[in-house]
Amino acid sequence: MIAVYPGSFDPITLGHIDIIERGCKLFENVIVAVLRNPSKTPLFTVDQRLNQIRDSINHLANVEVVSFDGLAVNYAKMRQAQVLIRGLRVLSDFEKELQMAHTNKTLSSEIETVFLATSNEYSFLSSSVVKEIAIFGGSVDHLVPQHIAIDIYKCYDKTKLV
Ligand code: PNS
């Protein structure tokens, strides 16, 4: 079975990587799909994010990293995937995620959303939290792979690079 894991990944965090690793054990192939979203101003370009993700998952054999436009269910169908993976961290994620899963079901009844519970140690973690810490000069070394922490410090705090 093929699963698509869609998201913004601006940037990918250890929490996302945990979901990808666990998805890889459940599905034959996992396609990590970065949304090309013209309505958002991201920290990293789509191409930077694709490279960051590829450099973070090279220990996994059955993952592909791509970008996509438009509806996630349409992209999943185009790739003959049956599943969308989403991570659930805390109860407050549930409302938005359930609404999205139901919306996707109305758009395409054959695509199932599978929720994976984020590991406890990453239940507080999001790309926004990482950026907020970095903006205020904190260390994100424990939240993202080292090569991404370096990319983030290049944006916010070059003193952390020495
Ligand atoms: O990492 P994010 O920002 O929580 O990911 C959200 C994402 C990209 C999965 C979601 O916004 C999405 O699938 N967008 C594509 C458009 C779409 O399919 N919308 C219908 C579901 S509401």
Side-chain angles (χ1 to χ4, degrees), residues 21-77:
E21 286 172 344
R22 287 162 47 216
C24 280
K25 292 184 188 148
L26 294 172
F27 300 103
E28 257 163 78
N29 284 302
V30 173
I31 301 169
V32 180
V34 179
L35 177 67
R36 289 189 179 272
N37 189 350
S39 65
K40 271 193 181 175
T41 310
L43 179 59
F44 295 111
T45 66
V46 169
D47 286 343
Q48 283 176 309
R49 281 178 271 159
L50 292 173
N51 287 329
Q52 289 170 340
I53 300 169
R54 288 189 183 119
D55 289 345
S56 307
I57 51 89
N58 47 24
H59 58 297
L60 299 167
N62 53 334
V63 188
E64 189 187 335
V65 184
V66 299
S67 62
F68 77 106
D69 289 302
L71 294 174
V73 288
N74 287 350
Y75 182 74
K77 279 194 287 192

Side-chain angles (χ1 to χ4, degrees), residues 121-133:
E121 60 190 301
Y122 303 126
S123 60
F124 68 97
L125 181 54
S126 67
S127 302
S128 307
V129 161
V130 168
K131 285 179 277 195
E132 169 122 358
I133 292 171

Side-chain angles (χ1 to χ4, degrees), residues 5-10 16 33-37 40 68-74 84-86 89 96-97 99-101 103-104 107 127:
Y5 180 28
S8 305
F9 305 107
D10 184 39
H16 295 126
V34 179
L35 177 67
R36 289 189 179 272
N37 189 350
K40 271 193 181 175
F68 77 106
D69 289 302
L71 294 174
V73 288
N74 287 350
L84 292 177
I85 298 176
R86 293 290 290 168
R89 290 163 301 189
K96 176 180 149 253
E97 292 297 335
Q99 185 186 28
M100 194 151 72
T103 306
N104 283 332
L107 294 169
S127 302

Side-chain angles (χ1 to χ4, degrees), residues 43 131 133-141 149-162:
L43 179 59
K131 285 179 277 195
I133 292 171
I135 286 169
F136 292 107
S139 168
V140 295
D141 291 350
I150 290 168
D151 290 345
I152 294 169
Y153 297 143
K154 280 181 191 159
C155 298
Y156 292 124
D157 184 359
K158 293 193 174 52
T159 64
K160 285 213 165 44
L161 294 170
V162 291

